[in-house]
Amino acid sequence: MATHVVLSPKVREKLLSECSEITSFLDWLESIDRRPGLDELAMRLSNLNPNIDAVENSVGYAEEGYKRHVIKENDFYELAIICWKPGQATPVHDHEGSDCAFLIVSGVSTETTYKINEEGVPFPTDLTIRKSGEICAAKEQDIHTVSNEGDVGLVELHVYTPPLSEYNIYSSER
């Protein structure tokens, strides 16, 4: 499971002062009074080249599960940095009510997508490996897991629209 933390004002300010790319992205998010679309988010994320050292120095890893570091949120979005140690993964889940787009900041991300069979059990349908600089965009009803199958830490910049408040976790057993 995830460890959820909100960046302290001091850490957030340091990150934003050292990473103008994230600051500009955050300024754009703050300037709109609507839920941005996935294509729009993916395009804007694809143009980001964040200061990897600044990002990695602002966050940490959970001993078990993975760690979500919320940078900022309002009614329309939640911006977070999520970190996985090698071998860590999300459970199989959706983002009920929220779309999600993310940029792989460092490491290699493995996304497995699922469908639900007649018995209500998820089964994998696709596996995508993404490297630093690549983007993933998931609709609220998409069922997936994200994992770090590599041998170094994985750091991703996620934006949820609206903020992630509910999700379903799917069991592979019946």
Side-chain angles (χ1 to χ4, degrees):
M1 241 12 212
T3 300
H4 180 90
V5 298
V6 175
L7 289 184
S8 71
K10 181 179 178 180
V11 172
R12 181 177 48 245
E13 290 308 314
K14 184 172 181 354
L15 168 66
L16 295 176
S17 73
E18 295 176 354
C19 194
S20 61
E21 300 264 341
I22 293 177
T23 301
S24 295
F25 184 70
L26 186 56
D27 288 346
W28 171 72
L29 286 170
E30 286 289 310
S31 75
I32 58 176
D33 60 353
R34 61 180 169 77
R35 179 181 177 179
L38 269 180
D39 291 340
E40 185 177 23
L41 288 171
M43 188 264 314
R44 288 192 177 265
L45 283 171
S46 69
N47 291 322
L48 288 184
N49 186 19
N51 177 338
I52 294 171
D53 290 336
V55 173
E56 290 180 343
N57 289 332
S58 300
V59 296
Y61 297 87
E63 286 304 312
E64 294 185 25
Y66 57 100
K67 196 164 189 179
R68 299 180 82 249
H69 304 267
V70 176
I71 298 170
K72 192 165 185 183
E73 69 178 276
N74 69 18
D75 291 342
F76 302 110
Y77 75 88
E78 174 184 13
L79 184 62
I81 300 169
I82 304 182
C83 305
W84 291 262
K85 286 183 175 182
Q88 292 179 335
T90 67
V92 178
H93 68 282
D94 63 21
H95 300 137
E96 184 176 306
S98 298
D99 291 333
C100 175
F102 59 89
L103 166 69
I104 291 75
V105 174
S106 63
V108 176
S109 178
T110 301
E111 180 194 31
T112 306
T113 54
Y114 295 81
K115 296 286 184 197
I116 303 297
N117 69 15
E118 302 80 33
E119 291 82 39
V121 177
F123 64 94
T125 58
D126 194 28
L127 183 131
T128 305
I129 297 173
R130 294 182 179 89
K131 298 177 183 170
S132 182
E134 294 186 283
I135 305 297
C136 176
K139 296 177 183 160
E140 58 186 82
Q141 69 272 18
D142 291 346
I143 300 169
H144 71 163
T145 185
V146 175
S147 61
N148 181 355
E149 305 298 323
D151 54 4
V152 298
L154 169 61
V155 178
E156 298 177 347
L157 180 66
H158 286 236
V159 61
Y160 299 92
T161 63
L164 185 62
S165 61
E166 295 186 42
Y167 53 89
N168 296 300
I169 295 177
Y170 298 85
S171 173
S172 59
E173 301 175 11
R174 263 286 184 209

